[in-house]
Amino acid sequence: MNDSKKRGVIMDLCLLGFMTVVLLTAIFMAIGPLGFFFNLICLMVTFILVIITYFTSIVTGLIFNLLFFFAQLVYVFYVSMYKDGFSLGYVFWLIVPPVLCLLIYGITLRLREQIAENIQLRRSNTRLTALDQETNLRTLNMFDEDFSVLAMGTQDHPTQLNMMIIRIRYWDSLKSRLTNDQTKELIHMITEQVNTCYNDQNFKYIIDHSVPTWGVLTFHEMNELKVIRARLKEDLQKKVATSEILGSLKIELIISIANYDKEENKTSTDLLAAGIRELQYDV
């Protein structure tokens, strides 16, 4: 039995136990030896202790139970000394409140764990939509948000925002000759080169998988980007030549550089489209 099923069984047993104790409490109040008002006061305090345990924690609940326990002991001592004597009915209210608090904690424990798992799942889903599972690069979903922030930064600083677009030359004819393993190796190899040439201060994306397209938003100067472009092409060819899987293929990159101009490229889509258009001039 896995942990999830065990917690589910514990929750069911606690719920059954809680209902049983509540039923026994109702029977005790109906036929027990204690007075109605004393039973009513103890029932109300027990109900408050259960609520405290439910909304806080078992530790807080047991601390208040301990205070109630000592208060009852004082009262029982007073009754035993100066009133009609001790009754075993008082023991019932010493036991029931902490038992009910423990049972309600067992019920809510599984619920709290389920909530924590849901929160973790939502965080994981958010991360998966932000990062591509295959390349671990940012996806197109994040591109608009990043572009808006970086474009605003150019208004306060004299730096230029540039975008580099990277594709595989002759992909349409090349993909029919690639096996699945070769395709994965090629995608991984280019992604690795992009990560090598750009540090974490640059924003790297996988734009498209059907026509493998990488993008980088960066504040590098145009001269630096030209050096990086040449390095990417050269390093990839060296890696392909030494690769056991890809060594028999001739693979080249086409890379374009688009400069952000707030008059011409008003949106992220405009800048992306400009970078893709520039690819035709990289011969």
Side-chain angles (χ1 to χ4, degrees):
M1 185 182 295
N2 57 35
D3 292 340
S4 179
K5 289 184 178 180
K6 287 181 180 179
R7 289 193 293 265
V9 171
I10 292 174
M11 178 180 174
D12 293 338
L13 292 176
C14 289
L15 181 59
L16 181 61
F18 187 86
M19 295 172 63
T20 302
V21 174
V22 169
L23 178 61
L24 292 176
T25 302
I27 296 174
F28 174 81
M29 292 182 65
I31 63 175
L34 302 180
F36 171 77
F37 287 104
F38 180 81
N39 284 333
L40 182 62
I41 292 173
C42 289
L43 180 64
M44 292 177 62
V45 173
T46 301
F47 181 69
I48 293 173
L49 293 174
V50 169
I51 292 177
I52 291 173
T53 304
Y54 179 85
F55 285 105
T56 57
S57 67
I58 186 61
V59 175
T60 305
L62 291 179
I63 289 174
F64 280 97
N65 266 281
L66 190 62
L67 296 176
F68 183 48
F69 180 85
F70 282 118
Q72 288 186 85
L73 285 181
V74 172
Y75 178 77
V76 170
F77 178 78
Y78 169 77
V79 169
S80 299
M81 295 294 295
Y82 301 104
K83 297 291 182 179
D84 52 354
F86 176 76
S87 172
L88 289 176
Y90 293 117
V91 178
F92 179 85
W93 287 113
L94 292 175
I95 298 174
V96 167
V99 170
L100 287 177
C101 288
L102 288 171
L103 290 172
I104 198 67
Y105 173 74
I107 295 172
T108 59
L109 179 63
R110 173 56 182 160
L111 297 177
R112 294 175 189 273
E113 290 177 347
Q114 190 66 47
I115 292 173
E117 289 175 2
N118 290 338
I119 293 174
Q120 184 63 35
L121 182 61
R122 284 197 296 269
R123 290 175 178 173
S124 298
N125 288 337
T126 301
R127 184 180 182 275
L128 288 177
T129 57
L131 297 179
D132 179 69
Q133 296 184 30
E134 184 177 351
T135 63
N136 208 34
L137 297 178
R138 301 166 81 88
T139 64
L140 200 56
N141 294 333
M142 297 293 295
F143 180 65
D144 286 335
E145 181 179 341
D146 294 339
F147 172 81
S148 300
V149 174
L150 295 176
M152 289 179 60
T154 61
Q155 299 176 5
D156 302 325
H157 303 281
T159 55
Q160 286 188 337
L161 176 63
N162 295 305
M163 183 169 192
M164 176 176 283
I165 301 292
I166 304 163
R167 275 184 176 174
I168 302 169
R169 191 183 298 276
Y170 309 126
W171 172 252
D172 290 336
S173 61
L174 181 63
K175 65 180 180 181
S176 60
R177 296 186 284 126
L178 292 174
T179 65
N180 289 335
D181 290 340
Q182 287 176 322
T183 301
K184 290 180 180 179
E185 176 67 17
L186 182 57
I187 299 297
H188 172 75
M189 190 177 292
I190 298 174
T191 300
E192 190 178 57
Q193 288 304 116
V194 171
N195 284 324
T196 300
C197 292
Y198 289 99
N199 56 32
D200 293 336
Q201 295 178 352
N202 301 281
F203 292 78
K204 296 160 284 189
Y205 307 89
I206 182 73
I207 303 296
D208 191 4
H209 274 289
S210 58
V211 179
T213 306
W214 292 258
V216 181
L217 281 175
T218 177
F219 287 107
H220 281 311
E221 297 292 338
M222 190 64 69
N223 291 335
E224 292 178 288
L225 291 177
K226 289 179 179 179
V227 172
I228 293 175
R229 177 170 61 183
R231 179 185 169 189
L232 277 170
K233 291 183 177 183
E234 182 180 352
D235 288 350
L236 180 70
Q237 289 184 344
K238 290 180 180 178
K239 285 203 167 189
V240 169
T242 58
S243 172
E244 295 181 0
I245 300 178
L246 301 171
S248 60
L249 299 171
K250 183 180 180 181
I251 299 174
E252 299 178 3
L253 295 178
I254 49 174
I255 303 175
S256 68
I257 303 170
N259 175 251
Y260 166 68
D261 188 327
K262 62 181 179 180
E263 299 299 330
E264 296 181 3
N265 306 315
K266 296 182 180 180
T267 66
S268 59
T269 304
D270 294 336
L271 181 60
L272 180 58
I276 293 176
R277 284 197 303 269
E278 289 293 323
L279 287 172
Q280 62 184 314
Y281 301 111
D282 183 30
V283 295

